[in-house]
Amino acid sequence: MQKVKSKKSILLASVTSIFLLLTGCSNDNAASQSTEGTEENTNSITLSWPRDIGSMNPHVYNPSQLIAQSMIYEPLVSYEDGGKIKPHLAESWSVSEDGLEYTFKLREGVKFTDGSSFNAEIVKKNFDAVMKNKSSHSWLGVINVLEKTEVVDELTFKLTLSEPYYPAIQDLALVRPVRFLGESGFPEDGDTSKGITEPVGTGPWVLEDYKKDEYATFTRNPDYWGESPELEKVTIKIIPDAETRVLAFEKGELDLIYGEGAISMDSFNYLKETGDYQTDLSEPVGTRTLLLNSTNEKLADLNVRLALQHGFDKAAMVEGITLGLEEKADNILSTNFPYTDIEVEPFDYNVEKAAAYLEEAGWNLPSGKAVREKDGQPLELELMYDKTDPIQKAMSETLQAEWSAIGVKLNLKGEELTTQIERRKAGQFDLDFWYNFGAPYDPHSFINVVAEKGWGVSEAHSNLPMKAELDQQVQEALASTDEKERQQLYGSILNTLQEQSVFLPISYIKKTVVYQNDVKEFIFPANRDEQPFNEIEKSQ
Amino acid sequence: MVIYLTKRLLAVIPIILFAIFLMFLLIRLSPVDPAEAYLAAANIHPTEELLAEKRQEFGLDQPLIVQYFQTVKKIVLLDFGNSYVTNSPVWQEVAARMPATIQLAVSSILLSIIVSIPLGFLSAVYKNSLIDHFSRLLSYLGASVPQFWLGYILIFFFSVKLDLFPVEGRGTWQHFVLPSLTLSLALIAIYTRLLRASVLEELEEVYVLYARTRGVKEKAIMVKHVLRIAISPMLTGLGMNLGKLLTGTIIVEQVFSWPGFGRFFIEAIFNRDIPVIQSYVVLAACLFIVCNLIVDIVQLYLDPRISWKGRTEY
């Protein structure tokens, strides 16, 4: 009997302690919960984000999220519509004749949220911290050519480059790594790559409350130097699942779903069709492209590449697979980037023309066979795609069916993403999917990878007869200090690339946003990575 | 008892070593190059020199057998390395997320016990009645409905349409309801049927007939005798499912934005964060092994018919 009693008491004690554990945690979080909801504060919005915002360190990458970094930290110059670079924390700047020295006049009266002043000293300290960890930033052009940083006077800062590089100023508009952390945010040894002590910036928002993997709340910076945002508060809820985001939005727990791939194409159209919400698509942020490797002996022939361009119904494929969320692309780079507004003759969908090109290249269809042959070799190619990407997979299957009609056998190979990148870099592929970088990285990052080896793009072009000339033009364009000359060089480079058809543009990728009816003035930021909250208003 | 326990604990060691070996083999078989994955996660452009440097740092240039023993040595010391993404020790990341996952697992177990004991018992006592049919239907549903789908359906009805519970997140007791329900339905399906079967079996036993002839009240027979004995197989099932439950939280945590270990694991898969994936596989394997061991020991303790001595002789 005694034994039974003790068993019972153990059971009772366990259940009670589990209950306390559960309710205990509830009380802990109940307080923070009140900061999450939108009910108490009408001038605030709540949006979802797929990942935790991260450590809020302006000088590092993953897992910090660009959207949140750009709320707190600001650049010297900002990237505006059409690729115009506007003053931001720098009031003005000048570039020396030789294109090597950049002198910035810093804005006066700007304060960090720790009360310290924004001046040339702290700008240099930030640059030095970034340069300490140079290997992490070697992908960024300006870092590779940065030779010296100097404090000229309290509000004048100078950068010296080792060679002229016109996009240096575009690179300074990026969300990371060259944005500015206040003095009290630095660790003792000044090495921010290992962490910061607190997120101290000059930006319009201040991180008020944060719970890892759950939410982050930002409030308006009361001492902001620029125009204060209309909203008082922005809450970012971390919701990793796209369908859950839509359900939370429908219930009204979210005011906004924003970002690339933040919502499935089906859900976007479903929410749009209900008529109960506002939906919008941005200007193109990038191009979904196929890379046809010219080092493959079949693809080395321009006629084969042109046949592939004409041999499929691009408009129908893009509409059918992306449900109208992407737009058929004729240009390799969309025309909303600087220097990219060139006249392009679209490749129409024309099976006869495609067949004629193939015949001209010597690929004939033997009677009774479905695949063209030349010297006994079948016209067989392999398209490599990321096997976790449903759009790449669907497009690959469509192309396989479409091109079989012109006598091209397309084999599909789904690869693990890292393998896909590895194979691309080594140039070991026939056809592959490729995306450009978007604003503010393009068009200079785009032409850079056309010339520089190690990304797979230059490798894919390496069999073009004019490759050396193309590389030379790229070098000249990147070092050019003359606007007219640069425009002319870009025009020439892009025209050659369009004609040579190593890039086969498919569609323009766009950002999506869905928001409740009481949210007003949503404007997509020109910089792909920048936050969109400064202009948003909410009707009371 | 000491000898039995020692024997059992010693037997665990080769099993864990084998689990580590399998994990090691599977990771090496995957086409992902850890050096490449690290640089991709850290946003560093992978040049040949950097790749070579990282491969050396991770010991990937060593023979496989050396790499395996190094992995075992580190795991024994609970050193899973640093996450490629956050750069913090994996152990620290896991420990920070474990409480949330354990809370969810515990609340699901409690819920499944609360539902399946009365339901299983009543459907045996009132065999072929309405309640029996209902429990059968529930078991079919629980066994066949995929968890992610159930999660969405529950959110749609109870949260979006009826506005009874929050869609996602963690905080108040309301946040526990839908994820726990999603996780526990599969358990309820198993336990209800298990308990029903074992109650029916016990009802056929002679001691029940004897108790009835003695004039013991039916209620007392059922609760004090039948249920007490019939519940034992369910307890075994519960222990064996504990490991499954913790790993089952992966999908539920993703659907309900529950900030636990399972969600962290999913993110690690997408980021090819190999140290995190490795730690998850090892911990899950250990969890299964330990749970089975505990169940065995508890069963011996609960069932007086099996002696420690007798067990050790098998």
Side-chain angles (χ1 to χ4, degrees):
Chain A
M1 196 64 194
Q2 192 60 36
K3 204 173 177 184
V4 173
K5 261 191 182 168
S6 73
K7 266 191 205 170
K8 270 188 185 168
S9 56
I10 289 170
L11 188 72
L12 191 70
S14 333
V15 171
T16 318
S17 53
I18 290 163
F19 182 73
L20 284 176
L21 184 78
L22 293 179
T23 49
C25 93
S26 313
N27 292 337
D28 276 354
N29 297 321
S32 60
Q33 187 64 16
S34 65
T35 61
E36 272 188 77
T38 51
E39 298 81 8
E40 48 154 322
N41 190 341
T42 49
N43 197 15
S44 69
I45 62 161
T46 303
L47 76 149
S48 61
W49 200 251
R51 285 176 174 194
D52 182 65
I53 60 162
S55 63
M56 288 297 90
N57 181 338
H59 303 152
V60 301
Y61 305 92
N62 255 343
S64 292
Q65 299 296 298
L66 291 154
I67 193 168
Q69 285 172 309
S70 68
M71 290 173 84
I72 294 179
Y73 304 106
E74 293 186 296
L76 285 177
V77 293
S78 64
Y79 182 96
E80 305 294 336
D81 279 334
K84 286 191 192 74
I85 301 294
K86 293 264 174 76
H88 204 81
L89 286 179
E91 244 170 11
S92 63
W93 66 92
S94 61
V95 186
S96 64
E97 281 277 304
D98 58 4
L100 291 177
E101 285 181 5
Y102 286 68
T103 310
F104 295 89
K105 189 84 198 139
L106 305 179
R107 196 174 290 278
E108 204 179 340
V110 176
K111 295 262 182 222
F112 283 99
T113 46
D114 63 355
S116 64
S117 294
F118 173 77
N119 53 33
E121 283 291 343
I122 196 76
V123 170
K124 182 170 164 48
K125 189 169 182 173
N126 275 272
F127 266 94
D128 291 349
V130 169
M131 292 309 283
K132 236 182 219 173
N133 193 23
K134 197 176 166 184
S135 69
S136 292
H137 313 299
S138 64
W139 62 276
L140 187 62
V142 70
I143 300 296
N144 292 321
V145 293
L146 186 59
E147 196 173 71
K148 203 164 74 174
T149 55
E150 275 170 86
V151 174
V152 178
D153 62 43
E154 207 204 332
L155 290 174
T156 314
F157 172 74
K158 193 159 96 180
L159 282 180
T160 309
L161 309 184
S162 56
E163 54 186 90
Y165 179 70
Y166 97 82
I169 203 82
Q170 270 82 358
D171 285 354
L172 296 182
L174 298 186
V175 171
R176 56 198 184 193
V178 201
R179 290 207 176 184
F180 304 95
L181 176 71
E183 188 62 54
S184 61
F186 276 84
E188 261 178 39
D189 60 359
D191 185 2
T192 50
S193 70
K194 295 192 189 94
I196 58 167
T197 54
E198 51 177 330
V200 179
T202 57
W205 300 97
V206 183
L207 181 64
E208 189 197 66
D209 191 13
Y210 166 62
K211 194 149 195 205
K212 194 174 172 137
D213 286 340
E214 295 186 41
Y215 63 88
T217 307
F218 295 84
T219 49
R220 224 162 33 191
N221 176 359
D223 305 315
Y224 186 52
W225 60 269
E227 201 179 320
S228 207
E230 289 293 331
L231 293 171
E232 283 168 28
K233 195 157 98 175
V234 173
T235 303
I236 298 182
K237 268 194 184 186
I238 313 305
I239 307 182
D241 187 83
E243 298 312 317
T244 308
R245 269 173 239 150
V246 174
L247 289 164
F249 178 76
E250 277 189 285
K251 189 176 176 237
E253 286 181 14
L254 298 176
D255 297 299
L256 188 81
I257 306 180
Y258 166 72
E260 286 169 51
I263 182 171
S264 71
M265 291 166 171
D266 274 330
S267 302
F268 181 85
N269 284 329
Y270 157 72
L271 291 174
K272 189 177 172 185
E273 278 156 21
T274 61
D276 298 334
Y277 313 105
Q278 303 293 318
T279 58
D280 203 1
L281 291 173
S282 73
E283 291 278 295
V285 292
T287 315
R288 190 187 292 279
T289 318
L290 275 191
L291 206 51
L292 316 183
N293 191 347
S294 70
T295 59
N296 173 291
E297 56 177 23
K298 292 164 193 160
L299 289 169
D301 191 333
L302 175 61
N303 283 325
V304 175
R305 302 199 296 271
L306 291 175
L308 296 181
Q309 290 265 25
H310 286 289
F312 73 108
D313 189 348
K314 195 189 287 179
M317 179 175 92
V318 172
E319 175 64 30
I321 293 173
T322 70
L323 308 174
L325 264 70
E326 290 182 15
E327 186 190 329
K328 173 190 161 230
D330 293 318
N331 292 42
I332 303 168
L333 289 186
S334 55
T335 53
N336 54 334
F337 295 111
Y339 315 115
T340 58
D341 198 0
I342 56 163
E343 281 289 320
V344 164
E345 178 78 32
F347 293 103
D348 58 332
Y349 172 47
N350 190 331
V351 179
E352 287 81 32
K353 213 187 250 180
Y357 274 122
L358 289 174
E359 265 150 39
E360 204 181 319
W363 292 98
N364 296 310
L365 201 59
S367 62
K369 289 198 175 173
V371 180
R372 287 174 188 273
E373 287 180 6
K374 185 169 144 183
D375 306 329
Q377 288 281 315
L379 183 47
E380 196 174 346
L381 297 165
E382 186 192 84
L383 169 59
M384 162 169 87
Y385 67 92
D386 172 5
K387 62 181 168 190
T388 60
D389 184 334
I391 295 180
Q392 282 191 15
K393 186 166 187 280
M395 287 189 172
S396 302
E397 284 161 356
T398 310
L399 289 169
Q400 187 181 44
E402 293 264 74
W403 285 342
S404 77
I406 56 167
V408 177
K409 186 174 184 219
L410 188 67
N411 299 318
L412 306 183
K413 179 89 171 92
E415 290 283 20
E416 164 69 26
L417 185 64
T418 48
T419 315
Q420 187 184 20
I421 294 169
E422 219 167 292
R423 280 184 61 186
R424 182 188 303 147
K425 278 187 347 196
Q428 290 165 350
F429 64 95
D430 300 345
L431 293 98
D432 182 21
F433 282 91
W434 192 81
Y435 307 87
N436 63 309
F437 308 91
Y441 310 93
D442 284 330
H444 61 275
S445 301
F446 170 78
I447 60 164
N448 182 47
V449 297
V450 168
E452 194 190 287
K453 283 201 173 354
W455 302 82
V457 179
S458 174
E459 287 81 349
H461 284 82
S462 58
N463 222 1
L464 296 188
M466 68 296 286
K467 179 67 166 63
E469 194 188 328
L470 205 56
D471 289 355
Q472 180 63 29
Q473 283 181 329
V474 169
Q475 300 313 331
E476 282 171 24
L478 291 178
S480 152
T481 50
D482 180 65
E483 184 74 21
K484 258 194 182 159
E485 183 199 1
R486 204 182 295 149
Q487 175 71 63
Q488 190 255 325
L489 283 164
Y490 265 108
S492 167
I493 295 165
L494 290 174
N495 276 318
T496 309
L497 294 175
Q498 290 280 157
E499 283 160 18
Q500 289 304 314
S501 292
V502 167
F503 284 114
L504 190 160
I506 299 176
S507 59
Y508 297 130
I509 300 167
K510 296 178 172 190
K511 275 191 184 187
T512 55
V513 66
V514 182
Y515 49 99
Q516 307 282 0
N517 284 322
D518 56 356
V519 175
K520 308 273 177 239
E521 290 294 322
F522 183 89
I523 300 165
F524 285 100
N527 180 338
R528 190 173 186 171
D529 304 326
E530 190 74 49
Q531 52 98 4
F533 306 115
N534 291 8
E535 319 292 331
I536 295 179
E537 287 178 33
K538 201 168 178 194
S539 51
Q540 306 290 313
Chain B
M1 177 179 167
V2 178
I3 300 169
Y4 173 72
L5 275 182
T6 321
K7 269 192 177 174
R8 284 300 310 260
L9 283 173
L10 283 176
V12 161
I13 295 169
I15 302 175
I16 290 182
L17 282 179
F18 183 67
I20 296 175
F21 175 70
L22 268 187
M23 176 274 296
F24 177 81
L25 204 67
L26 287 173
I27 285 181
R28 292 301 174 283
L29 278 179
S30 98
V32 179
D33 172 5
E36 188 104 32
Y38 171 81
L39 294 175
N43 204 48
I44 300 173
H45 179 56
T47 58
E48 278 313 313
E49 302 85 71
L50 269 176
L51 281 172
E53 191 185 300
K54 280 289 152 196
R55 282 192 191 116
Q56 197 185 0
E57 188 187 319
F58 296 153
L60 299 170
D61 50 353
Q62 304 276 336
L64 269 187
I65 189 79
V66 177
Q67 288 187 43
Y68 171 67
F69 282 112
Q70 275 171 351
T71 309
V72 172
K73 193 177 142 195
K74 280 189 176 169
I75 289 174
V76 170
L77 297 171
L78 283 184
D79 172 14
F80 290 102
N82 282 6
S83 155
Y84 291 171
V85 176
T86 62
N87 244 333
S88 330
V90 172
W91 187 241
Q92 201 177 306
E93 297 279 351
V94 170
R97 288 166 174 89
M98 250 333 184
T101 300
I102 292 173
Q103 277 176 359
L104 188 58
V106 167
S107 69
S108 308
I109 289 181
L110 284 183
L111 187 64
S112 46
I113 292 174
I114 292 167
V115 176
S116 45
I117 293 181
L119 199 61
F121 181 66
L122 291 176
S123 55
V125 174
Y126 303 106
K127 197 178 158 189
N128 291 328
S129 68
L130 204 63
I131 194 160
D132 190 21
H133 294 313
F134 170 73
S135 87
R136 189 170 293 135
L137 179 75
L138 198 71
S139 301
Y140 285 143
L141 282 177
S144 51
V145 170
Q147 274 179 342
F148 73 93
W149 188 77
L150 178 67
Y152 292 139
I153 294 292
L154 290 178
I155 294 177
F156 183 74
F157 284 109
F158 293 102
S159 187
V160 179
K161 293 291 165 198
L162 299 173
D163 198 12
L164 294 174
F165 303 105
V167 173
E168 49 77 49
R170 175 173 168 238
T172 60
W173 67 268
Q174 287 99 324
H175 285 98
F176 276 94
V177 179
L178 296 184
S180 305
L181 205 60
T182 311
L183 263 179
S184 54
L185 190 67
L187 298 181
I188 291 171
I190 302 168
Y191 300 149
T192 308
R193 302 311 289 172
L194 212 61
L195 187 64
R196 179 184 178 274
S198 84
V199 168
L200 285 176
E201 209 175 285
E202 289 302 319
L203 285 176
E204 299 291 315
E205 291 288 325
V206 185
Y207 73 86
V208 177
L209 187 67
Y210 178 58
R212 277 183 184 144
T213 52
R214 274 190 300 152
V216 179
K217 280 182 186 161
E218 194 65 15
K219 198 176 153 193
I221 299 174
M222 291 296 175
V223 179
K224 283 192 177 167
H225 301 286
V226 175
L227 186 61
R228 258 192 66 195
I229 297 171
I231 219 158
S232 167
M234 192 178 142
L235 217 61
T236 318
L238 198 73
M240 289 174 79
N241 273 317
L242 200 68
K244 207 169 139 193
L245 189 69
L246 279 173
T247 50
T249 55
I250 293 177
I251 291 174
V252 173
E253 285 184 358
Q254 183 78 2
V255 169
F256 291 94
S257 310
W258 196 265
F261 183 35
R263 199 176 112 188
F264 183 56
F265 177 58
I266 295 258
E267 224 170 276
I269 293 175
F270 283 114
N271 292 323
R272 288 146 188 91
D273 196 345
I274 292 169
V276 177
I277 299 175
Q278 201 163 291
S279 75
Y280 188 88
V281 176
V282 172
L283 286 179
C286 291
L287 200 69
F288 272 97
I289 296 166
V290 170
C291 284
N292 278 339
L293 183 68
I294 292 173
V295 166
D296 275 4
I297 295 168
V298 169
Q299 250 200 335
L300 286 179
Y301 175 73
L302 284 183
D303 196 337
R305 286 173 297 186
I306 312 166
S307 71
W308 293 102
K309 198 166 168 289
R311 262 286 161 128
T312 52
E313 279 160 11
Y314 282 118

